[in-house]
Amino acid sequence: MGKKTKILIVEDEMVIAANISLQLNELGYEVTGIVPRGEEALLHIKSETPDILLLDINLKGTLDGIETALAMQKTHDIPVIYLTANSDDAHFNRAKETHPHGFIAKPFKKLDLQRAIELTISQTSAKDESNNGSAPQNAKTYVLSDCIFVRHLNSMVKVPIKDILYIEAERNYCRIFSSNQEYLLVITLKEMDKKLPSRHFFRIHRSYIINISQIKEIATTHIVIGRKAIPINKSLKKVLLRRLQTI
């Protein structure tokens, strides 16, 4: 049996924290502790370092969740998943500076928690393998007319094309951003561009391929998909506009 992923819960609403702990145990994870304050979380991390920090943004102590993450990152590299009941732009932009692995909006379902943690584990594993100079095994990508099959954790996962927002280059890898998940693939963006059906996708930048149907806004220097502003130059913008006229 594999080693369990260790998770520290930092949440000042004890009923919510206890419920999260129960769900994590049911999902097969190990809860290293439940603490209500950022200061206590920093002390806990020194004595028993978790694999993932499940962190409420709106803590009532001296440090809020974002300040706790910043303090933690001075000494530890622990993936952070934020819990929040407040998803306004100010909180989101502050939280982004800590490069979290996920956000879970309250109230949330067990599936939301499960997906956020699985994604974090997948990202961390891919990062470790990349740093070690190796690639995930059996990571071949299959592109069909209406979906892509990608290696995720220990299985091949079907990702419908309609759910893909955009694809971003990451050195010799590329990362698919879908409506509810991220996938790191061992393939360059150039090779991915060759495989994708051109009627759905457009390489808008050297680092980005977009799903044309997911465009929310076309501005002077960028387009918007989801919450992501992706740069585009004048010549490619003209090509994109012509493509949109033919759809």
Side-chain angles (χ1 to χ4, degrees):
M1 187 174 177
K3 182 182 174 184
K4 287 187 176 182
T5 298
K6 297 189 293 184
I7 301 174
L8 173 63
I9 302 169
V10 189
E11 167 63 69
D12 56 13
E13 295 185 47
M14 285 299 103
V15 173
I16 292 176
N19 184 46
I20 292 171
S21 179
L22 179 63
Q23 292 180 355
L24 292 178
N25 285 322
E26 289 174 350
L27 291 168
Y29 302 115
E30 178 184 341
V31 176
T32 65
I34 299 173
V35 296
R37 299 287 185 270
E39 300 89 337
E40 294 176 50
L42 296 174
L43 290 173
H44 181 99
I45 287 166
K46 289 180 181 178
S47 62
E48 188 172 0
T49 305
D51 299 309
I52 296 173
L53 196 58
L54 204 55
L55 183 57
D56 184 20
I57 287 181
N58 300 304
L59 297 174
K60 295 172 184 173
T62 304
L63 302 175
D64 69 10
I66 299 168
E67 291 165 337
T68 300
L70 287 169
M72 176 274 294
Q73 289 171 347
K74 292 177 182 178
T75 56
H76 292 77
D77 183 19
I78 302 171
V80 172
I81 300 173
Y82 283 118
L83 305 171
T84 179
N86 188 345
S87 56
D88 62 34
D89 288 343
H91 281 82
F92 182 76
N93 289 330
R94 278 185 63 220
K96 266 199 315 186
E97 297 302 313
T98 65
H99 306 290
H101 281 66
F103 288 84
I104 305 178
K106 298 178 183 177
F108 56 85
K109 300 175 182 177
K110 184 177 179 179
L111 183 60
D112 299 327
L113 187 65
Q114 181 180 2
R115 284 176 172 169
I117 293 170
E118 286 183 359
L119 175 58
T120 300
I121 293 170
S122 176
Q123 289 174 327
T124 304
S125 298
K127 180 181 176 182
D128 291 342
E129 286 165 338
S130 176
N131 290 339
N132 291 333
S134 63
Q137 297 297 310
N138 302 319
K140 193 168 183 178
T141 302
Y142 299 90
V143 179
L144 306 180
S145 61
D146 63 344
C147 67
I148 300 175
F149 278 91
V150 301
R151 172 67 61 177
H152 183 60
L153 300 178
N154 296 315
S155 61
M156 296 298 291
V157 178
K158 179 180 178 180
V159 184
I161 281 175
K162 64 181 177 59
D163 291 342
I164 296 173
L165 303 176
Y166 61 92
I167 304 169
E168 182 176 2
E170 196 167 305
R171 289 176 294 181
N172 292 325
Y173 300 80
C174 64
R175 191 178 297 277
I176 292 179
F177 291 82
S178 74
S179 53
N180 58 6
Q181 185 69 284
E182 294 178 24
Y183 305 93
L184 185 67
L185 310 183
V186 187
I187 184 174
T188 65
L189 196 71
K190 182 179 179 180
E191 289 301 312
M192 193 66 182
D193 191 28
K194 292 177 182 178
K195 289 175 171 283
L196 292 170
S198 59
R199 67 182 180 277
H200 295 295
F201 294 96
F202 182 72
R203 188 166 183 178
I204 198 171
H205 183 272
R206 66 178 181 274
S207 299
Y208 294 97
I209 296 171
I210 64 165
N211 186 340
I212 297 171
S213 66
Q214 295 284 358
I215 295 173
K216 285 187 175 180
E217 177 185 338
I218 301 178
T220 305
T221 59
H222 66 274
I223 63 104
V224 176
I225 292 181
R227 291 190 173 193
K228 181 76 172 180
I230 300 174
I232 184 170
N233 65 37
K234 189 180 292 185
S235 60
L236 282 177
K237 182 179 174 183
K238 289 179 180 178
V239 176
L240 176 61
L241 290 172
R242 286 200 296 270
R243 286 279 304 277
L244 290 173
Q245 288 173 350
T246 62
I247 294 177

